[in-house]
Amino acid sequence: MRDGKDPDMTTEFTTRITDAVVDSLDGTADPRLRELLASLTRHLHAFVRETEPTMAEWEKAVDFLTTTGQTCTDTRQEFVLLSDVLGVSMLVETINSDRDGGATESTVLGPFHMTESPARVLGADIDLAGGGEPCVVSGRVLSRDGTPLPGAVLDVWQANAEGFYDVQQPDVQPPGNGRGLFTADAEGRFWFRTCVPSPYPIPTDGPVGDLLRATGREPYRPAHIHFIASAPGHVPVTTHIFVAGSDHLDSDAVFAVKESLVQDFADTDDPALAREFGIPNPFRHARFDLVLTPERT
Ligand code: BEZ
Ligand code: FE
C-alpha cells in the first residue's frame, strides 16, 4: 500500500468499486457472458490491488495493447502472438482438448493459419519453391477405437526451410507455399511431400518482440508442421508434429511442445518407396497417425 493513505479505507473503497462493476453486469442476457465478464473483472481488479501500478505504468500497459492492435493486419495477428507467448493459448487449447486420452493431443493454432490452404491431391508437394530437404509425411486418420476415417480432411501448414511462412514473405514465396488441404483416402490414409521444416523465431518486430526482449526471453520455436484434422462425427484436432532432435524442443517460445507430438523424420534409403512417393532417394520420412474423438451424442 502506498504511503499517506489509510489502508483500510482504500481497500474498502476498491472492493466497493469491484462489487459495483460486477453488479452492473446483472442485466447481461447471456449468462455465460455474465460469468466471464464478472470473473474477468474480479481477477483484473485483484491484479491491480496486488501490484498497485502507477498511472505511468498503466498508461504504458494501455499503449502496449494499443500498439498490439495496431500491429494486426490481414496477414499478421499480434494478439494471437501475445496470447501464445503468455501461455494463454496453450491453456485454452489444453482445457478444451480430449480429457479422456487416446486422441492425438492438441497444441496451439498460432498466428499463421490466416489464409485458406489450397486443396491438393494426396502425394502433392507443398514445398512449391523447392530447395529444402525432401521429406514425405504419411499416416492415417483414425477414430479412437482404431477405425479408419475415410474422407477426413487435413489442413496442413508449415514454414519453409528458412523458417518463414508464405504470408511473411509475399515477395519471395508463392502464395500457398507450405500449405495444403488434403482428403484422406478410402482407408483413412494420407501422404504428401514437403521439405523438413526448420526452427524459427516468432515475429519480434512488434510489441510482442519488445516484451520478449524486456524479459530476456528467446523467440525460437522448434521445427514443426501444423495440422487441423477433421472428420464427420468427430471432434477436430488442432495440432503440430515436432521434428525429433530439433533445437528448442525444450524451450519453445509459446510452450506448445507435448512429448507425444515429437516425431522421427527418419532418414530413409528405399528406392522403391521413393519411387512410390515420387521423391528423390534418399529422403526423410515422418509417419504418424492422427486419432480423433467421436462427438458425444
Ligand atoms: C506458429 O507455429 O506458427 C506460431 C505459433 C505461435 C506463435 C507464433 C508462431
Ligand atoms: Fe508454426
Side-chain angles (χ1 to χ4, degrees):
M1 188 65 59
R2 295 239 165 77
D3 296 342
K5 292 190 190 140
D6 178 337
D8 289 342
M9 274 182 63
T10 307
T11 306
E12 195 194 313
F13 186 66
T14 65
T15 305
R16 265 196 277 140
I17 296 174
T18 304
D19 291 343
V21 177
V22 171
D23 289 349
S24 79
L25 301 169
D26 281 353
T28 313
D30 178 341
R32 176 64 173 158
L33 181 61
R34 185 168 65 234
E35 180 191 357
L36 291 170
L37 289 174
S39 180
L40 180 66
T41 303
R42 284 195 206 94
H43 284 274
L44 263 180
H45 287 210
F47 163 79
V48 171
R49 271 192 286 271
E50 180 190 318
T51 59
E52 299 190 336
T54 62
M55 284 311 292
E57 286 168 340
W58 188 242
E59 278 163 23
K60 196 162 180 184
V62 171
D63 277 351
F64 176 81
L65 291 176
T66 304
T67 315
T68 301
Q70 288 167 341
T71 306
C72 295
T73 67
D74 286 350
T75 53
R76 176 153 184 178
Q77 232 308 351
E78 195 77 358
F79 266 115
V80 174
L81 198 59
L82 180 59
S83 157
D84 293 337
V85 301
L86 293 178
V88 180
S89 305
M90 210 43 203
L91 276 182
V92 176
E93 191 59 57
T94 302
I95 286 166
N96 283 285
S97 65
D98 170 40
R99 294 180 196 202
D100 307 334
T104 298
E105 289 196 279
S106 59
T107 190
V108 293
L109 176 71
F112 295 118
H113 184 258
M114 47 189 356
T115 168
E116 215 168 287
S117 297
R120 301 195 194 280
V121 294
L122 289 168
D125 191 352
I126 63 172
D127 180 20
L128 305 182
E133 190 178 359
C135 153
V136 171
V137 178
S138 70
R140 288 168 308 162
V141 187
L142 306 172
S143 187
R144 249 188 13 204
D145 65 0
T147 312
L149 295 173
V153 173
L154 288 189
D155 191 346
V156 180
W157 70 105
Q158 70 168 83
N160 69 4
E162 279 78 51
F164 293 102
Y165 287 85
D166 57 348
V167 290
Q168 292 177 287
Q169 295 186 309
D171 301 331
V172 176
Q173 298 187 42
N177 191 35
R179 299 181 193 265
L181 198 63
F182 294 96
T183 303
D185 74 5
E187 275 117 66
R189 290 176 306 189
F190 66 88
W191 65 99
F192 62 90
R193 284 180 56 180
T194 183
C195 62
V196 179
S198 305
Y200 64 81
I202 62 173
T204 54
D205 57 344
V208 170
D210 294 339
L211 178 75
L212 293 182
R213 280 182 291 278
T215 52
R217 280 175 54 179
E218 292 293 335
Y220 292 98
R221 297 217 60 208
H224 60 273
I225 303 178
H226 296 258
F227 292 83
I228 299 174
S230 52
H234 288 75
V235 182
V237 68
T238 299
T239 192
H240 309 356
I241 55 169
F242 293 94
V243 180
S246 169
D247 287 345
H248 312 292
L249 277 173
D250 55 2
S251 58
D252 184 0
V254 300
F255 313 98
V257 178
K258 291 178 173 170
E259 197 53 46
S260 69
L261 302 177
V262 179
Q263 300 289 339
D264 203 15
F265 280 58
D267 286 316
T268 305
D269 184 355
D270 184 336
L273 194 59
R275 258 195 309 280
E276 219 176 282
F277 286 129
I279 195 167
N281 192 56
F283 59 101
R284 304 275 297 275
H285 191 177
R287 296 172 194 244
F288 70 102
D289 292 337
L290 281 152
V291 181
L292 303 186
T293 304
E295 268 163 4
R296 281 171 219 248
T297 45

